Amino acid sequence: MKAIIIYLRQLQCNNNREWFNAHKEEFLKHQARFHELVDEVIKEISVFDADVAGLTAKDCTYRIYRDVRFSSDKSPYKCHFGAFIAKGGKKAGNAGYYFHISTGGGEEYPYCHMLAAGDYCYKPEVMKILREDIVNGEGDFDAVVKQADASFTLDNDGALKRNPKGFPADAPYSEYIRLKYFCLTAIPDDEFWEGEDLAKRIASKFVTTKPFLDYINRAIDFEREEE
């Protein structure tokens, strides 16, 4: 992956159509290698999560082109390769396993590299179910969070200052129900991506987040049944 990281850093310094088109073959080579990694990671994850079996990199990866319509940053290309591996693929609306290799420092992805489990976009109805489950669950959510590898932490960006409407100020596990979303994140360094068995090492991190994802997806499935 070292060559991919070098390429992405070059792209960050030359984020324009002229440079990108002049290095299009290099991009395609690195994209293909990343897709190979994604397919390998899917295979490893499917050993402990059958819901992702049969997915391909095409189901889980994203275009390099940025949507700049609502961004102050008009750079045309993303400076990361990312994949979201979830039941039904990246557009199915389920919580899943995400990882990216990046240059970092950007508006959308400030960290160079990331592993994550969960999602950043839940329906309000799903958030309400999750918060109710957490308050009434007698610590079961706290337990699944703590099962995750120690490198993972809950992302608390944008967390509420006080409990959401409908929940008393002294509700148990208030630190969880104030979260804006439910996502575990880990920030590996460059060295993590080097060496053998990378897909296995990524999967070995994600297997510890499986109970957390099951908890989240249970609420998502319940909300769909209620529609």
Side-chain angles (χ1 to χ4, degrees):
M1 295 295 113
K2 184 176 181 179
I4 290 179
I5 295 172
I6 292 172
Y7 168 78
L8 290 172
R9 289 175 179 162
Q10 291 174 338
L11 175 60
Q12 184 180 41
C13 295
N14 301 276
N15 202 324
N16 59 75
R17 290 177 177 80
E18 292 75 17
W19 188 91
F20 183 82
N21 289 333
H23 296 79
K24 189 66 173 289
E25 288 188 10
E26 187 178 357
F27 162 72
L28 292 174
K29 179 185 70 174
H30 294 313
Q31 182 189 54
R33 176 64 190 98
F34 183 74
H35 285 189
E36 288 177 2
L37 173 63
V38 174
D39 283 332
E40 292 168 4
V41 173
I42 291 170
K43 182 179 178 180
E44 294 296 334
I45 292 176
S46 66
V47 172
F48 59 84
D49 189 344
D51 285 341
V52 307
L55 293 176
T56 67
K58 184 178 179 180
D59 302 314
C60 305
T61 52
Y62 302 88
R63 287 160 53 88
I64 193 73
Y65 307 100
R66 295 183 65 246
D67 183 351
V68 301
R69 292 174 297 171
F70 308 107
S71 175
S72 59
D73 179 2
K74 300 302 180 182
S75 302
Y77 306 106
K78 300 171 186 174
C79 293
H80 69 273
F81 286 148
F84 184 56
I85 302 169
K87 180 181 178 180
K90 62 181 182 284
K91 296 182 179 180
N94 297 304
Y97 312 91
Y98 175 81
F99 67 95
H100 75 227
I101 300 173
S102 174
T103 58
E107 176 182 298
E108 297 165 333
Y109 296 95
Y111 301 112
C112 284
H113 314 299
M114 178 182 285
L115 305 179
D119 201 354
Y120 282 95
C121 186
Y122 299 107
K123 291 182 179 179
E125 296 85 358
V126 171
M127 289 298 293
K128 184 173 185 295
I129 293 168
L130 285 168
R131 286 166 171 157
E132 290 174 345
D133 287 348
I134 291 168
V135 168
N136 299 318
E138 299 182 347
D140 53 353
F141 182 74
D142 183 63
V144 299
V145 169
K146 291 176 178 176
Q147 285 183 52
D149 183 90
S151 60
F152 285 99
T153 58
L154 273 171
D155 192 332
N156 63 0
D157 285 352
L160 302 174
K161 300 297 184 182
R162 52 182 62 90
N163 287 353
K165 184 178 179 180
F167 295 90
D170 61 349
Y173 302 103
S174 290
E175 70 275 20
Y176 291 144
I177 66 174
R178 291 176 186 171
L179 294 175
K180 185 178 179 180
Y181 33 70
F182 295 99
C183 191
L184 291 166
T185 61
I187 312 301
D189 58 18
D190 284 0
E191 292 182 3
F192 176 82
W193 305 97
E194 297 303 316
E196 298 180 357
D197 298 324
L198 176 57
K200 289 183 182 296
R201 287 189 281 114
I202 292 172
S204 72
K205 296 283 189 180
F206 281 145
V207 68
T208 68
T209 69
K210 174 67 161 51
F212 175 83
L213 288 182
D214 289 343
Y215 193 103
I216 302 298
N217 282 320
R218 180 183 66 187
I220 292 172
D221 290 342
F222 182 81
E223 188 276 332
R224 287 171 177 159
E225 292 170 2
E226 293 296 298
E227 289 182 344

